[in-house]
Amino acid sequence: MSNEEPPSTDLITLTRHVLHDQLRLGAAATGDLTLLLTAIQVTSKFIATNVRKARLINLVGLAGETNVQGEDQKKLDVLSNDIMVNALRASGKTAVLVSEELEDAIIIEQKQRGRYCVVFDPLDGSSNIDAGVNIGTIFGIYKVAQEGSASVEDVLRPGSEMVAAGYTMYGSSANLVLSTGQGVNGYTLDAALGEFILTHPDIQIPSRGKIYSFNEGNAMYFHPPVNAYLKSIKYPAPPKTPYSARYIGSMVADVHRTFLYGGIFGYPDDKKSKSGKLRLLYEAFPMAFLTEQAGGVATTGTKRILDILPKSIHERCSVFLGSKEDVNDLMKFYKDPSLVESTLA
């Protein structure tokens, strides 16, 4: 006789969870954010399907153009961007769209205009597609500053003003991680049902981890506080043991692991990339929003990421995020030059 338990008959889908949050708000809820999040989950399903089939339907390879960041655009990047822009515009709930792949913001025409602005990287880590490494979509959502407005100024605001943020990771499974400001929940796409099912309720980053995730190939360009911190966790004084290094090179995958297991993810500014490499609006802000909602800390090393006021839509910044104690340890090196000197001596 089999000991297998029958499948649950009370599935909590993403749609059900978001609707439950809407009901909790009562009369204050308009349902617009619910419909917008539904559009985002549909785009995630569409992109997930195409990521799985990319090699078979010739979506891998260069599209022959470069994006505004000067990076070669993969065919799947272009497709993912088109999927997101079309779905978000058709939702009727957006006013401004900002994509990593487009130089200028898209201002939605009046007849389809809503009250939300979405900033997104449609396919983060796409240089890893050929290798079969996890890649993902990152997004953040603002409410327009004034009812009826629609301009770039509506997104040039601190990340602390976002109303929701999340990412979808495409790999052996498709995982959507979302926060609407009430904690962080993770969902896994059940391909048979075509629904995202709640599998990681109330994600909390451990207060300390044992993993660090930095591209140490850039160590010769790192500023002294970063190198001093890395030395302190690789060569700790006994009885402490060294941290393990894990670096995938896809922000969504590295941050997802950090959320689940703890530790620290870092992509600092350095002597080569003076402002850092990650984009503030649609990479750093959404991930910092999720990090804080999950009980972690997100900083540039000297200030809270969510407090930064963006000056342009493709601005870059230094990023350190993860377990509260680990990130606080790193910030000590930025605050105390003598600690840097003694550690590197």
Side-chain angles (χ1 to χ4, degrees):
M1 191 169 165
S2 173
N3 289 325
E4 285 185 25
E5 289 194 16
S8 171
T9 55
D10 187 25
L11 297 176
I12 301 177
T13 65
L14 173 56
T15 305
R16 171 178 162 181
H17 212 198
V18 171
L19 282 169
H20 181 266
D21 281 350
Q22 181 186 324
L23 289 170
R24 187 171 43 77
L25 288 171
T30 62
D32 285 2
L33 184 59
T34 302
L35 289 169
L36 179 55
L37 291 171
T38 300
I40 289 173
Q41 71 163 311
V42 170
T43 66
S44 295
K45 293 173 191 175
F46 196 172
I47 295 170
T49 300
N50 283 291
V51 167
R52 283 199 304 274
K53 297 190 299 189
R55 176 64 69 185
L56 296 172
I57 58 176
N58 198 29
L59 285 173
V60 171
L62 300 178
E65 298 176 17
T66 56
N67 65 13
V68 66
Q69 316 301 334
E71 300 161 338
D72 289 331
Q73 286 181 305
K74 298 271 183 174
K75 292 177 184 176
L76 206 52
D77 271 14
V78 179
L79 179 72
S80 300
N81 182 67
D82 290 347
I83 290 168
M84 286 208 71
V85 169
N86 290 334
L88 293 171
R89 177 186 275 128
S91 73
K93 303 303 174 189
T94 58
V96 182
L97 306 178
V98 172
S99 168
E100 185 206 23
E101 303 299 330
L102 302 173
E103 186 169 358
D104 299 315
I106 295 175
I107 307 299
I108 302 298
E109 49 276 15
Q110 186 72 48
K111 64 178 181 179
Q112 285 189 295
R113 190 174 296 168
R115 63 176 73 187
Y116 291 99
C117 309
V118 186
V119 294
F120 57 93
D121 182 347
L123 208 61
D124 175 71
S126 56
S127 60
N128 288 317
I129 294 171
D130 290 4
V133 172
N134 285 11
I135 52 183
T137 300
I138 308 172
F139 61 90
I141 302 173
Y142 289 96
K143 201 168 185 180
V144 291
Q146 278 188 302
E147 199 72 33
S149 73
S151 73
V152 175
E153 301 306 316
D154 285 308
V155 296
L156 294 180
R157 293 150 60 194
S160 55
E161 294 184 24
M162 282 184 169
V163 295
Y167 62 81
T168 308
M169 183 176 71
Y170 313 108
S172 55
S173 59
N175 300 91
L176 194 154
V177 174
L178 174 70
S179 175
T180 55
Q182 303 287 327
V184 180
N185 291 293
Y187 308 82
T188 303
L189 180 61
D190 184 322
L193 293 175
E195 289 282 359
F196 280 100
I197 308 297
L198 180 66
T199 51
H200 296 78
D202 193 23
I203 294 172
Q204 289 290 311
I205 304 173
S207 60
R208 184 177 289 281
K210 291 294 290 180
I211 297 171
Y212 72 98
S213 186
F214 286 66
N215 181 1
E216 287 193 273
N218 290 330
M220 70 178 283
Y221 305 113
F222 287 169
H223 294 303
V226 180
N227 278 325
Y229 171 71
L230 291 174
K231 184 179 177 184
S232 75
I233 59 175
K234 290 194 290 184
Y235 303 97
K240 289 183 179 178
T241 55
Y243 277 40
S244 297
R246 298 284 186 275
Y247 185 72
I248 297 166
S250 171
M251 187 189 191
V252 168
D254 282 315
V255 170
H256 188 70
R257 184 197 54 248
T258 303
F259 283 178
L260 298 184
Y261 302 150
I264 183 169
F265 166 84
Y267 210 119
D269 57 351
D270 55 33
K271 295 163 193 165
K272 187 173 67 170
S273 303
K274 308 276 193 227
S275 301
K277 189 132 183 281
L278 297 175
R279 270 67 60 152
L280 178 62
L281 209 55
Y282 41 78
E283 291 177 329
F285 274 171
M287 292 307 200
F289 186 94
L290 289 166
T291 300
E292 291 197 3
Q293 285 292 319
V297 175
T299 178
T300 63
T302 56
K303 60 184 169 186
R304 181 184 180 223
I305 289 173
L306 292 180
D307 286 341
I308 300 171
L309 181 64
K311 297 180 183 66
S312 65
I313 60 173
H314 296 298
E315 186 176 332
R316 299 173 188 259
C317 79
S318 177
V319 174
F320 302 98
L321 60 82
S323 297
K324 185 182 292 184
E325 292 176 29
D326 289 317
V327 180
N328 284 339
D329 284 349
L330 169 113
M331 288 193 285
K332 289 174 190 171
F333 287 91
Y334 275 92
K335 288 175 185 164
D336 187 353
S338 65
L339 183 59
V340 174
E341 286 176 27
S342 62
T343 305
L344 293 177

